[in-house]
């Protein structure tokens, strides 16, 4: 191919020279072919790319086609049910609900109902008329030690930081939360002015303690108390881990770090902002309980919770033991699924680290129930929640309410371009590029966020009514069934048998499946 290129170059130059000599109007050909020839010669003598070195100029087509691959697959190759992480049916449903368009489909389901993993609601012949259900149910979050409990919506905005998302995206989300009376989780990137546009806020405190840190990255109680006391801040969430990269710590590429972001996070710019993988404000479960008490005091008695993607089961049981021993309670636990999320992460972490949401929810619910703590603590499910069925499914396993990140991004206009980490998001959602974010108009997109949330909650409540249930707290594990094999189905109650309340308080009553992790768990260390 190198010889073929040389022949092409010499032939092209000869033809251009002859034609230009005959008529100067043909000189425009030089503007086309000479740059291509120079590129080809550069390819021949560069040493980094073998394909381009062996196939000058032509080899560049390989990189062009590779860059267009995701778009080609999404628009021309994938079927409605094949796309990942979210297929076209799921994305279209969000778009339709956010625009208040028709969200029904004709001619039956496109899903294979005999495929392993297919799930459905067990409806009731005593279904409740839709007109008799509350389309805006509230879930009160606050233990007996919380003096300012919060009445949360059933469906809310999950943790997404300013920095990872553009300011226009954050503005739209917060304004949408205000319009729809649901909360907006800040993500671990700190509390920005764009989170304070009137919507209820859950302040996420990650291991970097952004917006409440000292110069050396330690937790600052003074900075925390100044912000936690704001009226807009309704709850505080201690982030242990997220589904995108459990045990890794958050990453904000330096390309996204502006002067404003650095000031909000209380960090310097010019480098990637990487959160530590673990907290420094506490090192043991007992110290965590002291930290919870400190946060509750600094917030004036607001609900204090934690966000975790379950890894080692004994570590969560250690936290439960510490709560029992100290009689200090978290107000909520946000369970994130290991199937990933909006954060940029190494592929191995997204694909192979952390417990998936379904198993994690069942474990957390059973652990809290087994230690007699569930009455004090609400469970929030976070992980690929975008439909009413997703909400009911999570409630069935043990959640009290749900959060969504990527669903809310779709409502903002995200097209799943998979460029969240590159600062080149074409829809202006996950970028700090001023030109790109200008395309996202907060006043317009906030309305879509509010509509999507409202219609999704309505869908969830309709499903509950069809199952004969008038409130989310009535949903149990026998409401949803799944196909285990082609010829066998089970309810979640059969897949995840519930523990007897209080059975984890004494070793003699601990079920065999929990015994190994229960013995390993200790309130004095993780």
């Amino acid at each position: 191919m190198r010889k073929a290129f040389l022949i092409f170059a010499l032939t092209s130059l000869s033809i251009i020279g002859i034609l230009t000599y005959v008529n100067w109007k043909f000189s425009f050909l030089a503007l086309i072919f000479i740059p291509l020839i120079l590129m080809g010669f550069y390819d021949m003598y560069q040493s980094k790319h073998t394909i381009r070195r062996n196939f000058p100029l032509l080899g560049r087509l390989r990189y062009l086609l590779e860059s267009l691959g995701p778009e080609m697959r999404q628009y021309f190759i994938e079927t409605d049910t094949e796309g990942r992480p979210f297929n076209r049916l799921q994305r279209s449903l969000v778009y339709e609900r956010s625009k208040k368009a028709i969200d029904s489909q004709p001619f039956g389901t496109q899903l294979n109902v005999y495929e392993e993993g297919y799930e459905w609601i067990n409806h009731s012949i005593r279904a409740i008329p839709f007109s008799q259900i509350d389309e805006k149910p509230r879930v009160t979050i606050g233990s007996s030690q919380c003096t300012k409990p919060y009445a949360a919506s059933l469906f809310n905005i999950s943790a997404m930081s300013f920095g990872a998302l553009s300011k226009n995206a954050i503005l739209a989300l917060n304004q949408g939360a205000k319009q729809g009376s649901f909360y907006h989780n800040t993500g671990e990137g700190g509390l920005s002015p764009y989170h304070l546009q009137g919507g209820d806020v859950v302040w996420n405190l990650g291991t970097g303690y952004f917006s409440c840190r000292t110069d050396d990255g330690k937790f600052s109680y003074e900075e925390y108390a100044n912000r936690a006391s704001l009226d807009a801040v309704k709850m505080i969430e201690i982030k242990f881990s997220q589904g995108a990269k459990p045990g890794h710590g958050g990453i904000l590429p330096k390309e996204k770090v502006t002067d404003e972001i650095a000031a909000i996070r209380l960090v310097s710019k010019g480098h990637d902002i990487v959160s530590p993988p673990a907290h420094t404000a506490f090192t043991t479960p007992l110290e965590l309980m002291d930290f919870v008490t400190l946060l509750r005091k600094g917030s004036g008695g607001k609900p204090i919770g934690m966000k975790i993607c379950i890894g080692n089961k004994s570590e969560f049981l250690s936290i439960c033991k510490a709560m029992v021993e100290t009689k200090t309670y978290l107000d909520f636990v946000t369970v994130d699924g290991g199937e990933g999320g909006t954060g940029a992460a190494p592929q191995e972490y997204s694909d192979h680290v952390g417990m998936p949401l379904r198993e994690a929810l069942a474990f957390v619910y059973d652990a809290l129930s087994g230690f007699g703590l569930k009455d004090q603590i609400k469970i929030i499910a976070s992980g690929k929640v975008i439909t009413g069925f997703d909400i009911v499914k999570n409630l069935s396993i043990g959640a009290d309410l749900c959060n969504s990140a990527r669903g809310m991004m779709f409502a903002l206009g995200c097209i799943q371009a998979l460029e969240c980490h590159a600062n080149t998001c074409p829809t202006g959602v996950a970028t700090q590029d001023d030109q790109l974010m200008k395309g996202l108009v907060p006043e317009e997109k906030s309305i879509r966020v509010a509509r999507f949330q409202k219609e999704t909650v309505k869908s969830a409540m309709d499903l509950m009514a069809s199952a004969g249930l008038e409130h989310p707290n009535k949903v149990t594990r026998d409401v949803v069934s799944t196909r285990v094999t082609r010829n066998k189905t089970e309810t979640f109650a059969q897949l995840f048998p519930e523990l007897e309340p209080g059975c984890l308080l004494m070793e003699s009553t601990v079920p065999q499946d929990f015994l190994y992790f229960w013995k390993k768990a200790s309130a004095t260390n993780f």
Side-chain angles (χ1 to χ4, degrees):
M1 287 301 296
R2 292 164 69 91
K3 290 182 179 179
F5 170 73
L6 289 172
I7 293 172
F8 162 76
L10 292 172
T11 303
S12 298
L13 290 173
S14 299
I15 293 173
I16 291 170
I18 294 171
L19 291 175
T20 303
Y21 178 77
V22 172
N23 190 327
W24 64 270
K25 292 182 179 180
F26 286 104
S27 61
F28 78 91
L29 294 173
L31 299 176
I32 298 174
F33 284 94
I34 289 178
L36 294 175
I37 292 169
L38 292 175
M39 289 170 61
F41 276 113
Y42 174 79
D43 288 345
M44 285 178 62
Y45 294 103
Q46 58 82 37
S47 58
K48 292 185 178 180
H49 302 281
T50 303
I51 294 293
R52 284 165 53 189
R53 187 175 174 88
N54 289 339
F55 300 88
L57 202 57
L58 188 63
R60 291 175 179 264
L61 289 175
R62 182 254 186 190
Y63 299 100
L64 175 63
L65 293 173
E66 186 178 60
S67 67
L68 294 175
E71 289 81 5
M72 296 289 288
R73 286 191 294 272
Q74 182 176 134
Y75 293 109
F76 300 106
I77 299 173
E78 290 176 355
T79 68
D80 287 347
T81 60
E82 286 181 341
R84 295 290 184 272
F86 293 88
N87 61 45
R88 189 181 301 275
L89 284 179
Q90 293 170 314
R91 300 195 304 270
S92 296
L93 182 64
V94 179
Y95 299 147
E96 290 161 355
R97 285 183 173 163
S98 66
K99 298 174 184 177
K100 207 168 177 57
I102 297 174
D103 61 357
S104 56
Q105 66 178 25
F107 232 63
T109 181
Q110 294 188 45
L111 303 179
N112 181 357
V113 299
Y114 295 101
E115 182 178 37
E116 291 181 15
Y118 174 74
E119 298 166 331
W120 66 92
I121 296 281
N122 298 316
H123 66 279
S124 172
I125 58 175
R126 294 180 60 81
I128 300 172
F130 296 156
S131 60
Q132 295 181 15
I133 61 172
D134 182 2
E135 293 185 356
K136 294 184 178 181
R138 311 299 289 189
V139 179
T140 301
I141 301 175
S143 67
S144 58
Q145 297 168 348
C146 173
T147 58
K148 294 183 179 179
Y150 174 65
S153 173
L154 185 62
F155 189 44
N156 306 276
I157 301 171
S158 193
M160 293 182 284
S161 303
F162 171 52
L165 267 57
S166 69
K167 68 178 181 182
N168 285 12
I170 297 295
L171 284 169
L173 290 172
N174 196 261
Q175 291 170 9
K178 178 182 179 181
Q179 294 168 27
S181 298
F182 51 98
Y183 69 69
H184 179 193
N185 191 304
T186 66
E188 68 171 305
L191 189 63
S192 76
Y194 311 113
H195 290 106
L196 304 175
Q197 300 299 309
D200 291 347
V201 171
V202 175
W203 185 10
N204 179 295
L205 297 186
T207 55
Y209 305 117
F210 299 125
S211 293
C212 59
R213 58 184 271 143
T214 60
D215 291 340
D216 60 352
K218 304 299 183 183
F219 174 74
S220 169
Y221 177 75
E222 291 72 22
E223 296 283 3
Y224 164 77
N226 287 338
R227 293 167 176 80
S229 59
L230 295 173
D231 289 340
V233 177
K234 302 301 182 183
M235 302 196 296
I236 311 297
E237 181 179 78
I238 307 167
K239 177 202 163 187
F240 278 77
S241 53
Q242 65 184 96
K245 44 187 176 292
H248 189 285
I251 304 171
L252 185 65
K254 62 183 179 182
E255 292 79 14
K256 285 189 169 185
V257 183
T258 64
D259 290 331
E260 182 181 38
I261 290 170
I264 289 169
R265 296 193 179 202
L266 304 180
V267 300
S268 59
K269 60 174 296 190
H271 54 83
D272 294 345
I273 300 178
V274 181
S275 304
H279 280 272
T280 56
F282 54 89
T283 57
T284 70
L286 291 176
E287 289 177 1
L288 169 61
M289 295 302 104
D290 293 335
F291 189 58
V292 169
T293 300
L294 183 68
L295 294 183
R296 189 171 279 136
K297 175 184 175 183
S299 70
K302 296 175 182 177
I304 309 297
M306 63 181 285
K307 176 181 180 180
I308 189 169
C309 176
I310 298 296
N312 193 324
K313 291 182 178 180
S314 64
E315 294 176 347
F316 186 76
L317 297 182
S318 296
I319 295 173
C320 292
K321 286 187 174 183
M323 285 192 280
V324 171
E325 181 174 325
T326 63
K327 293 182 172 57
T328 300
Y329 308 121
L330 291 162
D331 298 293
F332 66 93
V333 176
T334 302
V335 183
D336 209 2
E339 49 266 59
T342 59
Q347 182 174 339
E348 293 88 347
Y349 278 81
S350 292
D351 290 348
H352 301 294
V353 182
M355 188 182 295
L357 181 61
R358 185 167 66 182
E359 286 77 11
L361 273 178
F363 168 73
V364 169
Y365 178 89
D366 288 341
L368 295 177
S369 177
F371 278 103
L373 298 168
K374 184 61 190 70
D375 289 344
Q376 299 281 350
I377 301 169
K378 293 295 189 293
I379 298 174
I380 304 172
S382 175
K384 297 190 77 171
V385 184
I386 61 171
T387 71
F389 177 64
D390 293 332
I391 292 175
V392 175
K393 182 170 61 175
N394 289 329
L395 297 181
S396 177
I397 299 173
D400 295 287
L401 61 156
C402 295
N403 289 347
S404 175
R406 287 171 287 186
M408 298 297 179
M409 288 176 68
F410 289 138
L412 287 174
C414 168
I415 60 172
Q416 196 169 280
L418 304 181
E419 296 184 21
C420 307
H421 61 300
N423 204 33
T424 54
C425 172
T427 60
V429 176
T431 180
Q432 298 306 313
D433 186 308
D434 288 334
Q435 296 305 312
L436 291 172
M437 76 170 73
K438 282 181 180 178
L440 195 162
V441 181
E443 292 75 17
E444 293 291 333
K445 299 301 184 180
S446 62
I447 297 172
R448 295 191 180 185
V449 170
R451 282 175 181 162
F452 166 61
Q453 191 271 352
K454 178 182 177 181
E455 294 302 316
T456 305
V457 172
K458 180 181 182 302
S459 170
M461 295 307 298
D462 286 351
L463 290 173
M464 291 180 219
S466 294
L469 308 171
E470 70 276 9
H471 193 273
N473 60 17
K474 301 295 184 181
V475 181
T476 59
R477 291 188 182 178
D478 58 2
V479 171
V480 178
S481 290
T482 183
R483 185 172 295 283
V484 180
T485 68
R486 185 170 181 82
N487 298 314
K488 182 180 180 181
T489 67
E490 292 183 345
T491 64
F492 283 166
Q494 294 170 292
L495 279 177
F496 306 107
E498 289 190 30
L499 270 60
E500 288 292 328
C503 69
L504 299 180
L505 292 171
M506 297 186 297
E507 182 176 347
S508 60
T509 56
V510 175
Q512 191 63 37
D513 290 346
F514 271 73
L515 190 58
Y516 170 79
F517 298 105
W518 189 93
K519 287 182 176 180
K520 190 178 177 182
S522 170
T524 59
N525 60 77
F526 286 109

